[in-house]
Amino acid sequence: MSGDLPVSTTATTVAGVPRAGGSGRLGAHTVSRVGFGAMQLPRLHGDRGAAVALLRRLLELGVDHVDTAQFYGAGLVNELIGEALRPEDGVLIVSKVGAEPDPAGPHPLRAAQRPEQLRAGVEANLRTLGVEQVPVVNLRRMDTGPGLRAQGDQLVALDDQLAVLTALRDEGKIGAVGLSNVTLEALRQALPVGLACVQNAYSLVAREDEEMLALCAAEDIAWVPYFPLGSAFPGLPKVTDEPAVRAAAEELGATPAQVGLAWLLRHDPHVLLIPGTANAAHLEANVAAGALALSEAALTALDAVPTRSGPVTGA
Ligand SMILES: NC(=O)c1ccc[n+]([C@@H]2O[C@H](COP(=O)([O-])OP(=O)(O)OC[C@H]3O[C@@H](n4cnc5c(N)ncnc54)[C@H](OP(=O)(O)O)[C@@H]3O)[C@@H](O)[C@H]2O)c1
């Protein structure tokens, strides 16, 4: 792949397919509002052909925004993306730095927050994706959300990290900067850098960050929630378990997952989705959720669902 993607600014992708869920903005890019989170792909490590086919299916479905990380499958996921998607496909690849795999540890990841580790993370992404520029890179902090917290020499000042990322942007190795797992205070502090997107854990059942979403909307920054369905991790509340979601799904003849995704899209136009799946039927269902119309009654019931708390897990 190349960093200079021919991203389309019309209602269709470069492949001429209507964008899944319509078009949204991510920094300077126009993308499908239903994107794809690649974190589930390592489950297909024994069947590389199936993983590549799933990624190629994105093009037929009008999905042109893929979220990845070097630490997903220790480079495997990036390699699969580099193999499956060509520059002329016009898919926006968004990656992240700030962690590395820790297969033997208590969490699947460990912090890699120091400035030289961030730079090495970008270089690794360039290598495994096979590109000269990563179009968007999220600084994956560990300030909030489920999972890891940075400790010791991994507690790095935000400004020192942003200095690395803006230098990499000046060098052309990354196209734009985003933030992940941050507090409202950190988001405010980072605004002068010019952010393309923010990724925090957020869903119909995890809405602690409503104020951050409002700030992103005011600043025209894309809000790209991770765990939009509540994740694959046991112990975290699942959108699909919520009675109001199940009732709306029955009323609409849709699945609970589709209702949860449709609610996110309807909640604010700055929301872009990256549901994670390794299952082709689920991918198609997630794309179809982009066209699901929620009734006013269903919306009212869904809006009233409270945030459900769950134990912290390793994400
Ligand atoms: N910035 C960060 O720190 C951060 C952290 C975590 C994740 N992420 C990104 O966010 C993306 C989304 O998060 P996630 O994948 O962890 O969680 P998620 O999207 O909330 O949920 C994924 C789970 O939902 C299932 N699923 C997906 N579509 C479904 C459907 N239509 N019907 C029923 N089940 C469905 C998946 O199983 P199947 O595979 O069987 O469909 C998987 O178990 C990740 O893929 C990753 O790209 C970012």
PDB file of all heavy atoms in Angstrom, residues 39-66:
ATOM      1  N   MET A  39      -9.105  -5.623  15.146  1.00  0.00           N
ATOM      2  CA  MET A  39      -8.521  -6.290  16.312  1.00  0.00           C
ATOM      3  C   MET A  39      -8.955  -7.747  16.467  1.00  0.00           C
ATOM      4  O   MET A  39      -8.305  -8.521  17.167  1.00  0.00           O
ATOM      5  CB  MET A  39      -8.880  -5.507  17.584  1.00  0.00           C
ATOM      6  CG  MET A  39      -8.027  -5.848  18.773  1.00  0.00           C
ATOM      7  SD  MET A  39      -8.397  -4.842  20.218  1.00  0.00           S
ATOM      8  CE  MET A  39      -9.742  -5.754  20.951  1.00  0.00           C
ATOM      9  N   GLN A  40     -10.059  -8.130  15.823  1.00  0.00           N
ATOM     10  CA  GLN A  40     -10.511  -9.529  15.937  1.00  0.00           C
ATOM     11  C   GLN A  40      -9.824 -10.445  14.921  1.00  0.00           C
ATOM     12  O   GLN A  40      -9.952 -11.672  14.997  1.00  0.00           O
ATOM     13  CB  GLN A  40     -12.041  -9.620  15.748  1.00  0.00           C
ATOM     14  CG  GLN A  40     -12.846  -8.725  16.680  1.00  0.00           C
ATOM     15  CD  GLN A  40     -12.620  -9.024  18.155  1.00  0.00           C
ATOM     16  OE1 GLN A  40     -12.371 -10.175  18.531  1.00  0.00           O
ATOM     17  NE2 GLN A  40     -12.676  -8.006  18.996  1.00  0.00           N
ATOM     18  N   LEU A  41      -9.109  -9.859  13.956  1.00  0.00           N
ATOM     19  CA  LEU A  41      -8.550 -10.672  12.863  1.00  0.00           C
ATOM     20  C   LEU A  41      -7.525 -11.726  13.296  1.00  0.00           C
ATOM     21  O   LEU A  41      -7.419 -12.765  12.623  1.00  0.00           O
ATOM     22  CB  LEU A  41      -7.923  -9.773  11.782  1.00  0.00           C
ATOM     23  CG  LEU A  41      -8.885  -9.120  10.798  1.00  0.00           C
ATOM     24  CD1 LEU A  41      -8.087  -8.400   9.706  1.00  0.00           C
ATOM     25  CD2 LEU A  41      -9.825 -10.132  10.182  1.00  0.00           C
ATOM     26  N   PRO A  42      -6.742 -11.508  14.371  1.00  0.00           N
ATOM     27  CA  PRO A  42      -5.795 -12.571  14.753  1.00  0.00           C
ATOM     28  C   PRO A  42      -6.470 -13.914  14.996  1.00  0.00           C
ATOM     29  O   PRO A  42      -5.824 -14.966  14.907  1.00  0.00           O
ATOM     30  CB  PRO A  42      -5.154 -12.025  16.037  1.00  0.00           C
ATOM     31  CG  PRO A  42      -5.197 -10.541  15.867  1.00  0.00           C
ATOM     32  CD  PRO A  42      -6.524 -10.290  15.168  1.00  0.00           C
ATOM     33  N   ARG A  43      -7.776 -13.906  15.258  1.00  0.00           N
ATOM     34  CA  ARG A  43      -8.494 -15.188  15.411  1.00  0.00           C
ATOM     35  C   ARG A  43      -8.409 -16.017  14.137  1.00  0.00           C
ATOM     36  O   ARG A  43      -8.597 -17.235  14.166  1.00  0.00           O
ATOM     37  CB  ARG A  43      -9.958 -14.926  15.779  1.00  0.00           C
ATOM     38  CG  ARG A  43     -10.099 -14.510  17.221  1.00  0.00           C
ATOM     39  CD  ARG A  43     -11.526 -14.374  17.718  1.00  0.00           C
ATOM     40  NE  ARG A  43     -12.581 -14.760  16.847  1.00  0.00           N
ATOM     41  CZ  ARG A  43     -13.634 -13.979  16.555  1.00  0.00           C
ATOM     42  NH1 ARG A  43     -13.725 -12.767  17.072  1.00  0.00           N
ATOM     43  NH2 ARG A  43     -14.577 -14.412  15.776  1.00  0.00           N
ATOM     44  N   LEU A  44      -8.161 -15.363  12.992  1.00  0.00           N
ATOM     45  CA  LEU A  44      -8.073 -16.089  11.713  1.00  0.00           C
ATOM     46  C   LEU A  44      -6.628 -16.419  11.359  1.00  0.00           C
ATOM     47  O   LEU A  44      -6.314 -16.664  10.196  1.00  0.00           O
ATOM     48  CB  LEU A  44      -8.713 -15.244  10.597  1.00  0.00           C
ATOM     49  CG  LEU A  44     -10.211 -14.963  10.741  1.00  0.00           C
ATOM     50  CD1 LEU A  44     -10.712 -14.070   9.607  1.00  0.00           C
ATOM     51  CD2 LEU A  44     -11.014 -16.258  10.777  1.00  0.00           C
ATOM     52  N   HIS A  45      -5.730 -16.421  12.365  1.00  0.00           N
ATOM     53  CA  HIS A  45      -4.303 -16.615  12.059  1.00  0.00           C
ATOM     54  C   HIS A  45      -4.032 -17.947  11.366  1.00  0.00           C
ATOM     55  O   HIS A  45      -3.075 -18.078  10.608  1.00  0.00           O
ATOM     56  CB  HIS A  45      -3.445 -16.484  13.332  1.00  0.00           C
ATOM     57  CG  HIS A  45      -3.717 -17.549  14.340  1.00  0.00           C
ATOM     58  ND1 HIS A  45      -3.014 -18.726  14.371  1.00  0.00           N
ATOM     59  CD2 HIS A  45      -4.629 -17.623  15.336  1.00  0.00           C
ATOM     60  CE1 HIS A  45      -3.478 -19.477  15.353  1.00  0.00           C
ATOM     61  NE2 HIS A  45      -4.465 -18.830  15.958  1.00  0.00           N
ATOM     62  N   GLY A  46      -4.906 -18.923  11.590  1.00  0.00           N
ATOM     63  CA  GLY A  46      -4.690 -20.229  10.953  1.00  0.00           C
ATOM     64  C   GLY A  46      -5.240 -20.284   9.539  1.00  0.00           C
ATOM     65  O   GLY A  46      -5.072 -21.299   8.851  1.00  0.00           O
ATOM     66  N   ASP A  47      -5.905 -19.228   9.104  1.00  0.00           N
ATOM     67  CA  ASP A  47      -6.528 -19.226   7.774  1.00  0.00           C
ATOM     68  C   ASP A  47      -6.341 -17.848   7.135  1.00  0.00           C
ATOM     69  O   ASP A  47      -7.253 -17.031   7.064  1.00  0.00           O
ATOM     70  CB  ASP A  47      -8.021 -19.562   7.902  1.00  0.00           C
ATOM     71  CG  ASP A  47      -8.674 -19.808   6.546  1.00  0.00           C
ATOM     72  OD1 ASP A  47      -8.016 -19.561   5.510  1.00  0.00           O
ATOM     73  OD2 ASP A  47      -9.848 -20.240   6.524  1.00  0.00           O
ATOM     74  N   ARG A  48      -5.106 -17.623   6.687  1.00  0.00           N
ATOM     75  CA  ARG A  48      -4.749 -16.325   6.114  1.00  0.00           C
ATOM     76  C   ARG A  48      -5.659 -15.944   4.946  1.00  0.00           C
ATOM     77  O   ARG A  48      -6.038 -14.793   4.773  1.00  0.00           O
ATOM     78  CB  ARG A  48      -3.286 -16.420   5.637  1.00  0.00           C
ATOM     79  CG  ARG A  48      -2.566 -15.111   5.600  1.00  0.00           C
ATOM     80  CD  ARG A  48      -1.100 -15.319   5.226  1.00  0.00           C
ATOM     81  NE  ARG A  48      -0.500 -14.023   5.022  1.00  0.00           N
ATOM     82  CZ  ARG A  48       0.236 -13.389   5.926  1.00  0.00           C
ATOM     83  NH1 ARG A  48       0.513 -13.978   7.068  1.00  0.00           N
ATOM     84  NH2 ARG A  48       0.718 -12.193   5.675  1.00  0.00           N
ATOM     85  N   GLY A  49      -6.042 -16.949   4.156  1.00  0.00           N
ATOM     86  CA  GLY A  49      -6.911 -16.702   2.994  1.00  0.00           C
ATOM     87  C   GLY A  49      -8.246 -16.111   3.436  1.00  0.00           C
ATOM     88  O   GLY A  49      -8.774 -15.189   2.799  1.00  0.00           O
ATOM     89  N   ALA A  50      -8.791 -16.633   4.539  1.00  0.00           N
ATOM     90  CA  ALA A  50     -10.083 -16.133   5.023  1.00  0.00           C
ATOM     91  C   ALA A  50      -9.935 -14.700   5.506  1.00  0.00           C
ATOM     92  O   ALA A  50     -10.832 -13.859   5.290  1.00  0.00           O
ATOM     93  CB  ALA A  50     -10.600 -17.026   6.149  1.00  0.00           C
ATOM     94  N   ALA A  51      -8.821 -14.396   6.152  1.00  0.00           N
ATOM     95  CA  ALA A  51      -8.606 -13.034   6.651  1.00  0.00           C
ATOM     96  C   ALA A  51      -8.478 -12.052   5.485  1.00  0.00           C
ATOM     97  O   ALA A  51      -9.076 -10.967   5.498  1.00  0.00           O
ATOM     98  CB  ALA A  51      -7.355 -12.986   7.529  1.00  0.00           C
ATOM     99  N   VAL A  52      -7.726 -12.433   4.473  1.00  0.00           N
ATOM    100  CA  VAL A  52      -7.562 -11.553   3.304  1.00  0.00           C
ATOM    101  C   VAL A  52      -8.908 -11.387   2.585  1.00  0.00           C
ATOM    102  O   VAL A  52      -9.277 -10.282   2.179  1.00  0.00           O
ATOM    103  CB  VAL A  52      -6.471 -12.124   2.361  1.00  0.00           C
ATOM    104  CG1 VAL A  52      -6.483 -11.402   1.016  1.00  0.00           C
ATOM    105  CG2 VAL A  52      -5.099 -12.013   3.022  1.00  0.00           C
ATOM    106  N   ALA A  53      -9.663 -12.475   2.481  1.00  0.00           N
ATOM    107  CA  ALA A  53     -10.979 -12.393   1.815  1.00  0.00           C
ATOM    108  C   ALA A  53     -11.916 -11.465   2.585  1.00  0.00           C
ATOM    109  O   ALA A  53     -12.665 -10.687   1.982  1.00  0.00           O
ATOM    110  CB  ALA A  53     -11.589 -13.788   1.705  1.00  0.00           C
ATOM    111  N   LEU A  54     -11.865 -11.526   3.912  1.00  0.00           N
ATOM    112  CA  LEU A  54     -12.713 -10.634   4.727  1.00  0.00           C
ATOM    113  C   LEU A  54     -12.351  -9.176   4.461  1.00  0.00           C
ATOM    114  O   LEU A  54     -13.225  -8.314   4.296  1.00  0.00           O
ATOM    115  CB  LEU A  54     -12.535 -10.973   6.213  1.00  0.00           C
ATOM    116  CG  LEU A  54     -13.570 -10.367   7.150  1.00  0.00           C
ATOM    117  CD1 LEU A  54     -14.884 -11.148   7.097  1.00  0.00           C
ATOM    118  CD2 LEU A  54     -13.060 -10.355   8.593  1.00  0.00           C
ATOM    119  N   LEU A  55     -11.056  -8.908   4.380  1.00  0.00           N
ATOM    120  CA  LEU A  55     -10.613  -7.533   4.122  1.00  0.00           C
ATOM    121  C   LEU A  55     -11.000  -7.098   2.700  1.00  0.00           C
ATOM    122  O   LEU A  55     -11.406  -5.942   2.489  1.00  0.00           O
ATOM    123  CB  LEU A  55      -9.098  -7.421   4.339  1.00  0.00           C
ATOM    124  CG  LEU A  55      -8.659  -7.472   5.803  1.00  0.00           C
ATOM    125  CD1 LEU A  55      -7.158  -7.776   5.929  1.00  0.00           C
ATOM    126  CD2 LEU A  55      -8.986  -6.158   6.519  1.00  0.00           C
ATOM    127  N   ARG A  56     -10.894  -7.981   1.736  1.00  0.00           N
ATOM    128  CA  ARG A  56     -11.293  -7.627   0.363  1.00  0.00           C
ATOM    129  C   ARG A  56     -12.817  -7.401   0.278  1.00  0.00           C
ATOM    130  O   ARG A  56     -13.292  -6.607  -0.529  1.00  0.00           O
ATOM    131  CB  ARG A  56     -10.912  -8.735  -0.630  1.00  0.00           C
ATOM    132  CG  ARG A  56      -9.432  -8.943  -0.833  1.00  0.00           C
ATOM    133  CD  ARG A  56      -8.724  -7.783  -1.472  1.00  0.00           C
ATOM    134  NE  ARG A  56      -9.157  -7.437  -2.827  1.00  0.00           N
ATOM    135  CZ  ARG A  56      -8.810  -6.316  -3.453  1.00  0.00           C
ATOM    136  NH1 ARG A  56      -8.030  -5.427  -2.858  1.00  0.00           N
ATOM    137  NH2 ARG A  56      -9.236  -6.066  -4.674  1.00  0.00           N
ATOM    138  N   ARG A  57     -13.558  -8.103   1.124  1.00  0.00           N
ATOM    139  CA  ARG A  57     -15.022  -7.945   1.148  1.00  0.00           C
ATOM    140  C   ARG A  57     -15.416  -6.513   1.542  1.00  0.00           C
ATOM    141  O   ARG A  57     -16.466  -6.015   1.132  1.00  0.00           O
ATOM    142  CB  ARG A  57     -15.611  -8.960   2.137  1.00  0.00           C
ATOM    143  CG  ARG A  57     -17.105  -9.005   2.195  1.00  0.00           C
ATOM    144  CD  ARG A  57     -17.705  -9.879   1.090  1.00  0.00           C
ATOM    145  NE  ARG A  57     -19.160  -9.882   1.180  1.00  0.00           N
ATOM    146  CZ  ARG A  57     -19.976  -9.262   0.326  1.00  0.00           C
ATOM    147  NH1 ARG A  57     -19.489  -8.634  -0.730  1.00  0.00           N
ATOM    148  NH2 ARG A  57     -21.272  -9.310   0.484  1.00  0.00           N
ATOM    149  N   LEU A  58     -14.550  -5.845   2.316  1.00  0.00           N
ATOM    150  CA  LEU A  58     -14.835  -4.457   2.707  1.00  0.00           C
ATOM    151  C   LEU A  58     -15.086  -3.595   1.474  1.00  0.00           C
ATOM    152  O   LEU A  58     -15.964  -2.731   1.472  1.00  0.00           O
ATOM    153  CB  LEU A  58     -13.655  -3.867   3.503  1.00  0.00           C
ATOM    154  CG  LEU A  58     -13.290  -4.535   4.829  1.00  0.00           C
ATOM    155  CD1 LEU A  58     -12.050  -3.865   5.417  1.00  0.00           C
ATOM    156  CD2 LEU A  58     -14.446  -4.480   5.808  1.00  0.00           C
ATOM    157  N   LEU A  59     -14.301  -3.840   0.437  1.00  0.00           N
ATOM    158  CA  LEU A  59     -14.393  -3.005  -0.769  1.00  0.00           C
ATOM    159  C   LEU A  59     -15.754  -3.169  -1.437  1.00  0.00           C
ATOM    160  O   LEU A  59     -16.355  -2.195  -1.901  1.00  0.00           O
ATOM    161  CB  LEU A  59     -13.281  -3.378  -1.748  1.00  0.00           C
ATOM    162  CG  LEU A  59     -11.857  -3.325  -1.177  1.00  0.00           C
ATOM    163  CD1 LEU A  59     -10.847  -3.783  -2.216  1.00  0.00           C
ATOM    164  CD2 LEU A  59     -11.535  -1.916  -0.693  1.00  0.00           C
ATOM    165  N   GLU A  60     -16.254  -4.416  -1.457  1.00  0.00           N
ATOM    166  CA  GLU A  60     -17.560  -4.676  -2.094  1.00  0.00           C
ATOM    167  C   GLU A  60     -18.700  -4.086  -1.268  1.00  0.00           C
ATOM    168  O   GLU A  60     -19.768  -3.803  -1.786  1.00  0.00           O
ATOM    169  CB  GLU A  60     -17.773  -6.187  -2.236  1.00  0.00           C
ATOM    170  CG  GLU A  60     -16.765  -6.852  -3.146  1.00  0.00           C
ATOM    171  CD  GLU A  60     -16.771  -8.372  -3.023  1.00  0.00           C
ATOM    172  OE1 GLU A  60     -17.372  -8.909  -2.064  1.00  0.00           O
ATOM    173  OE2 GLU A  60     -16.159  -9.023  -3.885  1.00  0.00           O
ATOM    174  N   LEU A  61     -18.456  -3.923   0.035  1.00  0.00           N
ATOM    175  CA  LEU A  61     -19.514  -3.450   0.931  1.00  0.00           C
ATOM    176  C   LEU A  61     -19.467  -1.936   1.155  1.00  0.00           C
ATOM    177  O   LEU A  61     -20.271  -1.394   1.911  1.00  0.00           O
ATOM    178  CB  LEU A  61     -19.401  -4.168   2.289  1.00  0.00           C
ATOM    179  CG  LEU A  61     -19.692  -5.671   2.255  1.00  0.00           C
ATOM    180  CD1 LEU A  61     -19.319  -6.326   3.584  1.00  0.00           C
ATOM    181  CD2 LEU A  61     -21.169  -5.935   1.941  1.00  0.00           C
ATOM    182  N   GLY A  62     -18.528  -1.254   0.535  1.00  0.00           N
ATOM    183  CA  GLY A  62     -18.464   0.204   0.686  1.00  0.00           C
ATOM    184  C   GLY A  62     -17.850   0.658   1.991  1.00  0.00           C
ATOM    185  O   GLY A  62     -18.165   1.739   2.487  1.00  0.00           O
ATOM    186  N   VAL A  63     -16.959  -0.151   2.560  1.00  0.00           N
ATOM    187  CA  VAL A  63     -16.265   0.217   3.808  1.00  0.00           C
ATOM    188  C   VAL A  63     -14.853   0.679   3.442  1.00  0.00           C
ATOM    189  O   VAL A  63     -14.065  -0.098   2.892  1.00  0.00           O
ATOM    190  CB  VAL A  63     -16.177  -0.995   4.768  1.00  0.00           C
ATOM    191  CG1 VAL A  63     -15.342  -0.649   5.994  1.00  0.00           C
ATOM    192  CG2 VAL A  63     -17.575  -1.447   5.176  1.00  0.00           C
ATOM    193  N   ASP A  64     -14.540   1.936   3.723  1.00  0.00           N
ATOM    194  CA  ASP A  64     -13.205   2.428   3.339  1.00  0.00           C
ATOM    195  C   ASP A  64     -12.477   3.098   4.510  1.00  0.00           C
ATOM    196  O   ASP A  64     -11.726   4.047   4.319  1.00  0.00           O
ATOM    197  CB  ASP A  64     -13.266   3.333   2.099  1.00  0.00           C
ATOM    198  CG  ASP A  64     -14.099   4.587   2.300  1.00  0.00           C
ATOM    199  OD1 ASP A  64     -14.619   4.795   3.413  1.00  0.00           O
ATOM    200  OD2 ASP A  64     -14.228   5.366   1.328  1.00  0.00           O
ATOM    201  N   HIS A  65     -12.706   2.583   5.707  1.00  0.00           N
ATOM    202  CA  HIS A  65     -11.994   3.044   6.911  1.00  0.00           C
ATOM    203  C   HIS A  65     -11.684   1.808   7.752  1.00  0.00           C
ATOM    204  O   HIS A  65     -12.600   1.091   8.164  1.00  0.00           O
ATOM    205  CB  HIS A  65     -12.890   4.025   7.687  1.00  0.00           C
ATOM    206  CG  HIS A  65     -12.396   4.357   9.060  1.00  0.00           C
ATOM    207  ND1 HIS A  65     -13.226   4.816  10.066  1.00  0.00           N
ATOM    208  CD2 HIS A  65     -11.165   4.303   9.616  1.00  0.00           C
ATOM    209  CE1 HIS A  65     -12.538   5.032  11.170  1.00  0.00           C
ATOM    210  NE2 HIS A  65     -11.280   4.726  10.916  1.00  0.00           N
ATOM    211  N   VAL A  66     -10.395   1.546   7.947  1.00  0.00           N
ATOM    212  CA  VAL A  66      -9.955   0.366   8.718  1.00  0.00           C
ATOM    213  C   VAL A  66      -9.081   0.820   9.875  1.00  0.00           C
ATOM    214  O   VAL A  66      -8.124   1.577   9.691  1.00  0.00           O
ATOM    215  CB  VAL A  66      -9.175  -0.621   7.810  1.00  0.00           C
ATOM    216  CG1 VAL A  66      -8.523  -1.722   8.644  1.00  0.00           C
ATOM    217  CG2 VAL A  66     -10.103  -1.234   6.775  1.00  0.00           C
TER     218      VAL A  66
END
